[in-house]
Amino acid sequence: VPHLTWGVCRVINAEKSEFNEDQAACCQISVRRREPGLEEDEEWLILCSTQFLTGHYWALFDGHGGPDAAIIASNYLHYCIKQKLEEVVGGITEAQPPMHLSGRCVCDSDPQFVEEKHIHAADLVVGALENAFQECDEVIGQEMEATNQTGGCTALAALYFQGKLYVANAGDSRAILVLKDNIVPMSSEFTPESERQRIQHLAFLFPKLLDGEFTRFEFPRRLKGDDVGQKVLYRDYFMEGWGYKTVEKADLKYPLVHGHGKQARLLGTLAVSRGLGDHQLKVIDTNIEVKPFLSCIPKVNVFDFALHDIKEDDVLIMATDGLWDVLCNDEVAHVVRSFLAENRTDPQRFSELAKCLVCRARGKKRGHQWMLDDSHEASYDDISVFVIPLHNREED
């Protein structure tokens, strides 16, 4: 039976095996204000709620190579976010962040320089999230080395803070806002294909990372001996388009990025290009490290509720790729709107909706296969879904 909590549903490999590499976390984050001149240990501050800014946090972690990195991330990322927000809280509470966090004015034109750079409080929150992912990745590396564990995970985190929704993504999970009249994508997936140019450029700058075993060039297919001397289609790091190059013997090596869609792999090893962990991961039977090509830094998208009229059934959907592999944004939105319209009085309707989405992606067993209603193959991955209502945010 799927494990249910408020607004979230998870199944292990769609209940098709006993192993689970997905992890989920949600909590309230209390960010302590730092007043200049006050001692850190003044206990009365702890009792004074006005000395805190409150945020709400949800996150999904899709592990690979075991659940260990996802477990550490689910227990630690929110602490990193709290810590990084507290470091900049003095700037967050200002209409315009000061040049100096202390408020000191070294140059009379400082406010003008900040304004010219279009720096706002939201930019400090984005920076705090980026820093938090970086620190969490370092902690995972240290922890897993100390305990001789391996593996990594993708990370998708949402933070509701100061009237805005921040969604930070490193990996191939996805978040969308399903509103009454439209769908708002709040993340984009990071895969070897989508980050091909960044990965190829790194190999161009540091060719020793490939240890002579891979070619950085992309070709439509794996080259063969008969291709040597022929001009074939290719792409390099500086190319969005395609060109032709004369094939050399070195081009017959395995491509740095190879495959298409869900079959695309980085160094023939990983299907994602951003995430946490994987510090010890090497290409099989080589000493080539995968970590230098991975990024732990998320892309953060911001949704300002003040600019939108949020309706009762508007929700944020967060899910690991087990859902999105078989259901597109429009299909998910259709399920969301239909389900909520038919279950207006059910107090558990958001949790039930999460369960409904998971069951749709899991499909039904027909013989030895799991199939969707349209007779396409169902998801065989772990599936984790958050359904987060957006209406009456302050009251909730």
Side-chain angles (χ1 to χ4, degrees):
V1 177
H3 170 62
L4 279 173
T5 57
W6 173 80
V8 63
C9 181
R10 297 163 56 201
V11 294
I12 300 170
N13 281 355
E15 295 183 329
K16 296 154 194 170
S17 83
E18 60 182 324
F19 300 107
N20 178 31
E21 293 181 319
D22 279 6
Q23 296 292 316
C26 61
C27 66
Q28 181 174 298
I29 293 179
S30 295
V31 180
R32 182 173 164 182
R33 295 173 187 258
R34 304 288 187 185
E35 298 293 340
L38 292 177
E39 294 296 324
E40 289 283 324
D41 59 353
E42 289 192 36
E43 293 185 6
W44 65 270
L45 282 175
I46 299 171
L47 304 175
C48 182
S49 62
T50 60
Q51 295 301 323
F52 290 90
L53 301 175
T54 300
H56 298 273
Y57 163 89
W58 302 263
L60 293 172
F61 306 94
D62 186 350
H64 49 259
D68 300 321
I71 291 170
I72 298 171
S74 67
N75 289 326
Y76 195 70
L77 180 59
H78 57 281
Y79 173 77
C80 294
I81 292 174
K82 169 185 167 69
Q83 190 179 51
K84 296 304 177 184
L85 286 172
E86 288 186 343
E87 289 176 5
V88 298
V89 70
I92 291 174
T93 53
E94 297 292 327
Q96 183 185 82
M99 179 76 172
H100 286 262
L101 189 58
S102 65
R104 183 184 178 193
C105 185
V106 173
C107 174
D108 290 339
S109 299
D110 278 351
Q112 181 182 339
F113 288 122
V114 173
E115 186 175 355
E116 286 177 351
K117 287 285 186 180
H118 305 288
I119 303 172
H120 306 288
D123 298 306
L124 289 176
V125 179
V126 171
L129 288 165
E130 292 165 335
N131 272 289
F133 272 64
Q134 172 83 36
E135 180 170 303
C136 188
D137 184 59
E138 292 176 6
V139 169
I140 288 172
Q142 294 164 5
E143 179 76 16
M144 296 186 75
E145 183 179 8
T147 56
N148 199 29
Q149 296 171 307
T150 59
C153 67
T154 65
L156 174 67
L159 178 70
Y160 174 64
F161 189 69
Q162 299 289 88
K164 295 182 175 66
L165 178 69
Y166 300 83
V167 175
N169 187 43
D172 59 357
S173 294
R174 187 186 304 174
I176 64 172
L177 291 173
V178 179
L179 308 180
K180 182 178 181 180
D181 299 319
N182 65 323
I183 303 167
V184 182
M186 289 299 293
S187 67
S188 53
E189 284 92 286
F190 293 101
T191 67
E193 275 192 306
S194 70
E195 292 209 279
R196 170 188 61 83
Q197 289 180 272
R198 175 185 71 78
I199 293 166
Q200 285 180 315
H201 193 213
L202 191 63
F204 168 75
L205 295 174
F206 305 100
K208 289 183 179 179
L209 290 174
L210 300 182
D211 198 28
E213 297 285 339
F214 291 82
T215 173
R216 75 169 189 271
F217 299 117
E218 180 188 16
F219 303 99
R221 62 162 168 81
R222 180 82 187 273
L223 298 184
K224 302 177 181 180
D226 289 346
D227 292 313
V228 175
Q230 304 296 314
K231 286 191 172 183
V232 302
L233 287 164
Y234 89 109
R235 285 200 293 192
D236 203 353
Y237 72 90
F238 52 85
M239 301 169 69
E240 284 278 356
W242 290 81
Y244 284 94
K245 83 178 292 287
T246 302
V247 177
E248 302 170 17
K249 193 172 181 180
D251 297 327
L252 302 184
K253 295 173 183 176
Y254 201 87
L256 172 60
V257 175
H258 185 60
H260 178 67
K262 295 301 290 186
Q263 269 60 58
R265 292 294 183 270
L266 167 62
L267 293 166
T269 303
L270 270 187
V272 293
S273 56
R274 295 201 190 191
L276 307 175
D278 289 312
H279 295 75
Q280 291 81 28
L281 182 62
K282 292 185 178 181
V283 177
I284 191 168
D285 296 329
T286 75
N287 282 318
I288 299 173
E289 295 181 346
V290 177
K291 185 64 174 177
F293 292 97
L294 302 176
S295 172
C296 64
I297 306 305
K299 174 71 172 69
V300 184
N301 289 320
V302 185
F303 184 85
D304 189 348
F305 285 98
L307 304 179
H308 299 84
D309 181 19
I310 299 301
K311 305 298 184 183
E312 183 179 358
D313 288 347
D314 292 348
V315 294
L316 170 68
I317 304 294
M318 299 171 63
T320 53
D321 62 331
L323 179 77
W324 307 109
D325 285 349
V326 295
L327 296 176
C328 69
N329 290 358
D330 287 336
E331 289 171 322
V332 168
H334 177 73
V335 173
V336 167
R337 290 169 178 146
S338 300
F339 185 93
L340 292 178
E342 295 167 5
N343 296 272
R344 292 196 178 279
T345 59
D346 184 353
Q348 301 297 320
R349 63 194 191 124
F350 298 110
S351 289
E352 291 299 314
L353 172 55
K355 180 179 177 181
C356 175
L357 287 168
V358 166
C359 289
R360 281 288 296 270
R362 183 187 60 184
K364 296 175 182 176
K365 196 167 187 179
R366 297 179 188 170
H368 296 292
Q369 287 186 303
W370 290 76
M371 307 297 291
L372 301 176
D373 292 339
D374 59 6
S375 296
H376 285 86
E377 195 169 276
S379 176
Y380 276 78
D381 200 356
D382 296 333
I383 310 168
S384 298
V385 178
F386 268 120
V387 176
I388 301 161
L390 305 177
H391 197 248
N392 296 328
R393 296 174 307 281
E394 304 306 326
E395 290 84 342
D396 293 341

